[in-house]
């Protein structure tokens, strides 16, 4: 039967059926509570995937355990249902907004890059579904040469300066510019350049995992 899950250690990626990342459930957070409570507002077209870095541990609470607990403490049922309904409504809005972002921002941003230009719509949708948008203030260090590389970065607005390991500026990226592609492909484990926001900027970041999800689409 249906169950609620509580993340104890690690993390869970909560995704839509199209593979788009909706949220990351961290330790102490729950998933599936609306379904376990059999609420009519429950969003059922989602999936949860264990994080790729280390093991994920969850506590499974079967629906019957909840039924038994509320039978003993009926006064707790309505307040908890109200909380879950409010959270589910908010989650549905997040999912709707995320789908719009993937179609209107994520996919077009990735399609402008030399690496991904010409890829299929299915690939771009799967990859964009794992991408995230970030904004940085002028002067913020986005990546550091020699440190672990985390993502391929596409500049959407603003400008980003690139520096070599010696500290010399080697280029400036504006809208459509990218860095970190080679690292995202797994060729290098560390960043080859230092990247700093030259102006307030908005970027789309695609991790190695996101790129792999696109390849598997």
């Amino acid at each position: 039967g249906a169950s609620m899950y509580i993340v104890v250690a690690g993390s869970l990626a909560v995704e839509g059926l199209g593979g788009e990342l909706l949220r990351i459930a961290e330790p102490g957070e729950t998933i599936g509570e609306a379904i376990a409570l059999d609420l009519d507002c429950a969003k059922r077209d989602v999936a949860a995937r264990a994080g790729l870095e280390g093991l994920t541990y969850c506590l499974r609470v079967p629906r019957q355990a909840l039924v038994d607990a509320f039978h003993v403490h009926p006064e707790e049922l309505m307040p908890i249902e109200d909380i879950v309904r409010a959270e589910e409504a908010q989650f549905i809005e997040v999912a709707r907004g995320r789908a719009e972002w993937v179609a209107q921002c994520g996919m077009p941003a990735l399609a402008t890059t030399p690496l991904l230009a010409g890829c299929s719509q299915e690939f771009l949708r799967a990859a964009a579904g794992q991408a995230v948008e970030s904004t940085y203030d002028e002067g913020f260090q986005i990546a550091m040469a020699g440190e672990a590389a985390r993502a391929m970065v596409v500049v959407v607005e603003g400008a980003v300066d690139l520096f070599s390991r010696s500290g010399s500026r080697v280029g400036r990226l504006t809208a459509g510019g990218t860095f970190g592609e080679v690292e995202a492909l797994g060729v290098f484990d560390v960043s080859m350049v230092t990247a700093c926001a030259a102006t307030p900027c908005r970027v789309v970041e695609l991790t190695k995992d996101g790129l792999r999800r696109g390849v598997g689409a």
Side-chain angles (χ1 to χ4, degrees):
S3 298
M4 175 179 78
Y5 294 85
I6 304 172
V7 180
V8 178
S11 63
L12 287 175
V14 181
E15 304 173 343
L17 291 186
E20 67 276 12
L21 179 65
L22 302 178
R23 72 180 180 98
I24 299 294
E26 302 286 357
E29 297 183 349
T30 61
I31 63 170
E33 55 269 35
I35 294 176
L37 290 170
D38 199 25
L39 300 181
D40 55 7
C41 66
K43 182 173 176 57
R44 300 174 186 273
D45 55 344
V46 296
R49 183 168 58 91
L52 295 181
E53 297 182 4
L55 297 175
T56 298
Y57 297 89
C58 295
L59 175 66
R60 184 173 73 90
V61 184
R63 174 182 291 170
Q64 191 58 49
L66 294 173
V67 171
D68 293 344
F70 288 130
H71 180 74
V72 177
H73 300 282
E75 73 281 359
E76 301 291 350
L77 177 59
M78 187 171 293
I80 289 178
E81 281 192 348
D82 288 344
I83 293 172
V84 172
R85 287 182 186 278
E87 291 178 344
E88 197 71 2
Q90 184 179 33
F91 180 65
I92 289 171
E93 285 301 310
V94 168
R96 184 179 296 115
R98 178 64 176 168
E100 291 177 357
W101 180 88
V102 166
Q104 298 174 11
C105 182
M107 291 176 64
L110 296 182
T112 64
T113 67
L115 178 64
L116 303 181
C119 289
S120 69
Q121 291 295 296
E122 291 76 14
F123 174 96
L124 293 172
R125 185 174 295 105
Q130 298 297 308
V132 296
E133 181 178 309
S134 301
T135 57
Y136 298 111
D137 293 330
E138 180 179 348
F140 186 88
Q141 183 175 284
I142 302 171
M144 178 67 180
E147 293 189 355
R150 60 180 193 186
M152 165 183 166
V153 179
V154 184
V155 180
V156 178
E157 292 178 357
V160 174
D161 282 338
L162 302 181
F163 300 87
S164 67
R165 292 197 180 196
S166 65
S168 301
R169 198 181 89 162
V170 294
R172 169 169 288 192
L173 302 177
T174 54
T178 64
F179 67 92
E181 304 100 311
V182 176
E183 294 89 329
L185 287 171
V187 178
F188 298 111
D189 293 328
V190 298
S191 178
M192 294 292 101
V193 296
T194 293
C196 294
T199 67
C201 62
R202 183 164 64 96
V203 303
V204 170
E205 301 182 56
L206 179 63
T207 64
K208 296 177 184 178
D209 178 44
L211 194 55
R212 285 197 295 267
R213 295 295 298 277
V215 171

